[in-house]
Amino acid sequence: MDDNGKTTTNGTARRRMRSGAVALGGMGLLAASLVACGSSSEPDKRCVSKTSLDKLDSKECRSGGRGTYYYGGTTSNGKATGGSFDKSAVSRGGIGGGGSHKSSGG
């Protein structure tokens, strides 16, 4: 090995891979994977009562339940606000869901 971190084998010089470069490459791959998973075009949804907007257990939105899905918005004190029952009326903003959330009257 010479003073520049190169290993010589049979008269040819090879550069050694440093562990820091390997770690940075791995972190880049991890970041790309997380972004791909978090940028779904599907907006956040929660199961609520259509009349009161009270948050319900998700099983209440399955066939025969008393709930319906509410897209986007937030839940505060057990009530959904700032979203819509119409999935196409809200958009997902990627990681954190910071997109615009439109509310429909109802």
Side-chain angles (χ1 to χ4, degrees):
M1 183 182 305
D2 66 9
D3 292 335
N4 293 326
K6 295 180 182 176
T7 305
T8 54
T9 309
N10 297 335
T12 61
R14 282 188 321 174
R15 189 171 186 92
R16 283 192 332 169
M17 183 64 99
R18 301 210 190 280
S19 62
V22 173
L24 287 175
M27 292 300 281
L29 184 60
L30 177 63
S33 299
L34 290 173
V35 168
C37 290
S39 59
S40 167
S41 61
E42 185 77 17
D44 293 337
K45 67 181 178 182
R46 57 197 45 83
C47 185
V48 300
S49 164
K50 188 150 185 144
T51 55
S52 66
L53 295 179
D54 288 332
K55 188 172 185 307
L56 303 172
D57 190 76
S58 62
K59 69 181 179 183
E60 293 291 342
C61 282
R62 296 191 188 111
S63 181
R66 63 185 175 105
T68 188
Y69 284 115
Y70 188 78
Y71 299 93
T74 59
T75 303
S76 178
N77 296 325
K79 290 211 180 267
T81 60
S84 174
F85 291 109
D86 180 8
K87 184 190 326 189
S88 64
V90 296
S91 64
R92 169 110 181 163
I95 294 176
S100 64
H101 299 290
K102 298 175 185 168
S103 180
S104 66

